[in-house]
Amino acid sequence: MFPKPARVKRRNRFVDYAAYLGVRLVVFIAQSLSMRQSYALADAIAALVYKIDKRHRRVAMENLEHAFGDQYTVEQRDEIVRGVYRHFLRMVMEMLHIPKRLHLTTWRKFITLKGHEPVIERLLKGGPMIMLTGHYGNWEMAGYMFGAFGFPPHSVARVLDNPYLERYLKEFREQTGQKMIAKRGGSDEMLDVLQSGGLLSMLGDQDAGPKGLFVDFFGRPASTFKAIALLAIEFNAPIVVGGARRIGDDFQYLVEVEEVIDVNADNASPDLIPELTRRYTAALERMVRRDPTQYLWLHRRWKNQPRAKRSKAAA
């Protein structure tokens, strides 16, 4: 369902550990700052990265043009891209503050919930569930929060190449009970989670390669993994699409459930897989449209296109 484990290249342990120490130093400095000071630092770094990172900046501009057409001028698209860099650097700073700020007794100061009632009801009732989001808002917050609420998910994520940084990030992610599953080679664990009636958390906006299922995302075919729909059908698990969107300048977030997609596996047809994939992709798109600056336009979401379309373009 997902890519098989790739052959691991030998890495320089000294370089990896030096990078790890550098990150720990940044974490120490950032955690000594107030939230507003952290945001100011993030904005300054974002402005620098925007100037240096020409390749991803160009990808983002192209993606916005494909997604919105003439809705934005070149200047407006450029301003959105600047906002993307600011958002994700701020998100990094927020992650460093989350362990000290976000607890069962404090979360109401920072987070507003919307549309969560039916999801909590289903979690209390028990049974498998797939929680789905994209590279939008603060996607790391959801798993951390659900763990704090007593519903720790098993979240699928790519393992970092640097083993020291991977161990450090995993410790942060699993502080409230969340468990991580490697994206590559973690298929059996995903099956076990749903088989046991657990909560599986996944990102649904990654390019699935030339053999993926193509569904429209902002009106353009995007290669999407079939595994999410297949898992939902096999275990009759609802797909809960949601996200955490920043709504203020002092660590204020709206955590919203965009759509709960029920799956009736008893009446499954061959069209159910593309239907479920289209529905959750459309739900992710609706969220992104509310604030395009909080989406990761820097990655090549439309990297692969249907073969017929490429052939026609070449002719």
Side-chain angles (χ1 to χ4, degrees), residues 18 40 49 51 56 67 69 84 92 94 101 125 139 146 152 172 182 191 197 202-203 221 260 264 269 279 296 300 315:
V49 176
K51 291 183 178 180
H56 288 104
V84 170
V92 171
E94 289 165 352
R101 282 178 164 246
K125 189 181 298 183
W139 63 85
F146 271 81
F172 158 75
L191 295 174
M202 308 175 77
L203 292 170
V260 178
N264 187 352
S269 70
R279 284 187 63 183
L296 190 63
R300 297 180 64 192

Coordinates of all heavy atoms in Angstrom, one line a residue, residues 18 40 49 51 56 67 69 84 92 94 101 125 139 146 152 172 182 191 197 202-203 221 260 264 269 279 296 300 315:
A18 N 26.5 16.6 15.1 CA 26.7 18.1 15.1 C 25.4 18.8 14.8 O 25.1 19.9 15.4 CB 27.9 18.5 14.2
A40 N 8.9 36.9 16.3 CA 9.8 37.9 15.7 C 11.0 37.2 15.1 O 11.4 37.5 14.0 CB 10.1 38.9 16.7
V49 N 15.3 33.0 4.6 CA 15.1 31.8 3.9 C 14.4 32.1 2.6 O 14.8 31.5 1.5 CB 14.4 30.7 4.7 CG1 14.1 29.5 3.9 CG2 15.2 30.4 6.0
K51 N 14.7 34.6 0.7 CA 15.6 35.2 -0.3 C 16.6 34.1 -0.8 O 17.0 34.1 -2.0 CB 16.4 36.3 0.3 CG 15.6 37.6 0.6 CD 16.5 38.7 1.2 CE 15.7 39.9 1.4 NZ 16.5 41.0 1.9
H56 N 12.5 26.4 -4.0 CA 11.2 26.2 -3.5 C 10.3 27.4 -3.7 O 9.1 27.2 -3.8 CB 11.3 25.8 -2.0 CG 11.8 24.4 -1.8 ND1 13.1 24.2 -1.3 CD2 11.3 23.2 -1.9 CE1 13.3 22.9 -1.2 NE2 12.2 22.3 -1.6
A67 N -3.1 26.6 -9.0 CA -4.3 26.4 -8.2 C -5.3 27.5 -8.3 O -6.5 27.3 -8.3 CB -3.8 26.3 -6.7
G69 N -5.1 30.3 -10.7 CA -5.2 31.0 -12.0 C -5.0 32.5 -11.9 O -4.0 32.9 -11.3
V84 N 3.8 32.0 3.5 CA 4.1 30.6 3.7 C 5.3 30.3 4.6 O 5.4 29.6 5.5 CB 4.2 29.8 2.4 CG1 4.7 28.4 2.6 CG2 2.8 29.8 1.7
V92 N 7.3 26.1 13.6 CA 8.5 25.4 14.2 C 8.7 26.0 15.7 O 8.9 25.2 16.6 CB 9.8 25.6 13.4 CG1 11.0 25.2 14.2 CG2 9.7 24.9 12.1
E94 N 6.4 27.3 17.5 CA 5.3 26.9 18.3 C 5.5 25.5 18.9 O 5.2 25.1 20.0 CB 4.0 26.9 17.5 CG 3.5 28.4 17.3 CD 2.5 28.4 16.2 OE1 2.2 27.4 15.5 OE2 1.9 29.5 16.0
R101 N 3.3 24.7 27.2 CA 2.1 25.5 27.1 C 0.8 24.7 27.0 O -0.2 25.1 27.6 CB 2.2 26.5 25.9 CG 3.0 27.7 26.1 CD 3.0 28.5 24.8 NE 3.5 29.9 25.1 CZ 2.8 31.0 25.1 NH1 1.6 30.9 24.7 NH2 3.4 32.2 25.4
K125 N -17.3 5.8 21.9 CA -18.0 4.6 21.5 C -17.0 3.5 21.2 O -17.3 2.3 21.4 CB -18.9 4.9 20.4 CG -19.9 3.7 20.1 CD -20.8 4.1 18.9 CE -21.6 5.3 19.2 NZ -22.6 5.6 18.1
W139 N -0.1 20.8 11.7 CA -0.5 19.4 11.7 C 0.1 18.6 12.8 O -0.4 17.5 13.1 CB -0.2 18.8 10.3 CG 1.2 18.7 9.9 CD1 2.1 17.7 10.3 CD2 2.0 19.6 9.1 NE1 3.3 18.0 9.8 CE2 3.3 19.1 9.1 CE3 1.7 20.8 8.5 CZ2 4.3 19.8 8.4 CZ3 2.7 21.5 7.8 CH2 4.0 21.0 7.7
F146 N -4.7 15.1 20.8 CA -5.6 14.0 21.0 C -5.0 13.1 22.1 O -5.7 12.4 22.9 CB -5.8 13.2 19.7 CG -7.0 13.7 18.9 CD1 -6.9 14.8 18.1 CD2 -8.2 13.0 19.0 CE1 -8.0 15.3 17.4 CE2 -9.3 13.4 18.3 CZ -9.2 14.6 17.5
P152 N -4.9 8.8 22.3 CA -3.6 8.9 21.6 C -3.7 8.1 20.3 O -4.0 7.0 20.2 CB -2.6 8.2 22.6 CG -3.5 7.3 23.4 CD -4.8 8.0 23.6
F172 N 9.4 14.1 21.4 CA 8.4 15.2 21.5 C 7.0 14.7 21.1 O 6.0 15.0 21.8 CB 8.8 16.4 20.6 CG 7.7 17.3 20.2 CD1 7.2 18.2 21.1 CD2 7.1 17.2 18.9 CE1 6.1 19.0 20.8 CE2 6.1 18.1 18.6 CZ 5.6 19.0 19.5
A182 N 6.4 4.4 11.0 CA 7.2 4.9 9.8 C 6.4 4.7 8.5 O 5.7 3.7 8.3 CB 8.4 4.0 9.7
L191 N -2.3 -1.7 9.9 CA -3.4 -2.7 9.9 C -3.7 -3.1 11.3 O -4.9 -3.3 11.7 CB -2.9 -3.9 9.1 CG -2.7 -3.7 7.6 CD1 -2.2 -5.0 6.9 CD2 -4.0 -3.3 6.9
G197 N -9.2 -1.5 16.6 CA -10.1 -0.4 16.9 C -9.5 0.9 17.3 O -10.1 1.7 18.0
M202 N -3.1 10.3 9.7 CA -2.3 10.3 8.4 C -2.4 11.7 7.7 O -3.3 12.5 8.0 CB -2.8 9.3 7.5 CG -3.0 7.9 8.1 SD -3.7 6.7 7.0 CE -2.4 6.3 5.9
L203 N -1.4 12.0 6.8 CA -1.4 13.1 6.0 C -1.9 12.6 4.6 O -1.5 11.6 4.1 CB 0.0 13.7 5.8 CG 0.6 14.4 7.1 CD1 2.0 14.7 6.9 CD2 -0.2 15.6 7.4
P221 N -5.4 17.5 -11.7 CA -5.1 16.1 -11.3 C -3.9 16.0 -10.4 O -2.8 16.5 -10.7 CB -4.9 15.3 -12.6 CG -5.6 16.1 -13.6 CD -5.4 17.5 -13.2
V260 N -16.7 14.5 8.2 CA -16.6 13.1 8.6 C -17.2 12.3 7.5 O -18.3 12.4 7.2 CB -17.3 12.9 10.0 CG1 -17.3 11.4 10.3 CG2 -16.8 13.8 11.1
N264 N -19.4 2.8 4.1 CA -20.3 1.6 4.2 C -19.7 0.5 3.4 O -19.9 0.4 2.2 CB -21.7 1.9 3.6 CG -22.7 0.8 3.9 OD1 -22.3 -0.3 4.3 ND2 -23.9 1.1 3.6
S269 N -18.3 -0.7 -3.8 CA -18.2 -0.9 -5.3 C -16.9 -0.4 -5.7 O -16.1 0.3 -5.0 CB -19.3 -0.1 -6.0 OG -19.1 1.3 -5.9
R279 N -13.5 12.9 -2.1 CA -14.1 13.6 -1.0 C -13.2 14.2 0.0 O -13.3 15.3 0.4 CB -15.2 12.7 -0.3 CG -16.4 12.5 -1.1 CD -17.5 11.7 -0.3 NE -17.9 12.4 0.9 CZ -18.7 12.0 1.8 NH1 -19.3 10.7 1.7 NH2 -19.1 12.7 2.9
L296 N 1.6 24.2 2.6 CA 3.0 24.0 2.2 C 3.0 24.0 0.6 O 3.2 22.9 0.0 CB 3.5 22.7 2.8 CG 5.0 22.5 2.6 CD1 5.8 23.6 3.3 CD2 5.4 21.1 3.1
R300 N 6.0 19.8 -4.3 CA 5.5 19.5 -5.6 C 4.3 18.6 -5.5 O 4.4 17.4 -5.8 CB 6.6 19.0 -6.5 CG 7.7 20.0 -6.7 CD 8.8 19.4 -7.6 NE 8.3 19.2 -9.0 CZ 8.9 18.6 -9.9 NH1 10.1 18.0 -9.6 NH2 8.4 18.4 -11.1
A315 N 2.5 16.2 -27.7 CA 2.1 16.2 -29.1 C 1.8 17.7 -29.5 O 2.0 18.0 -30.7 CB 0.8 15.4 -29.3

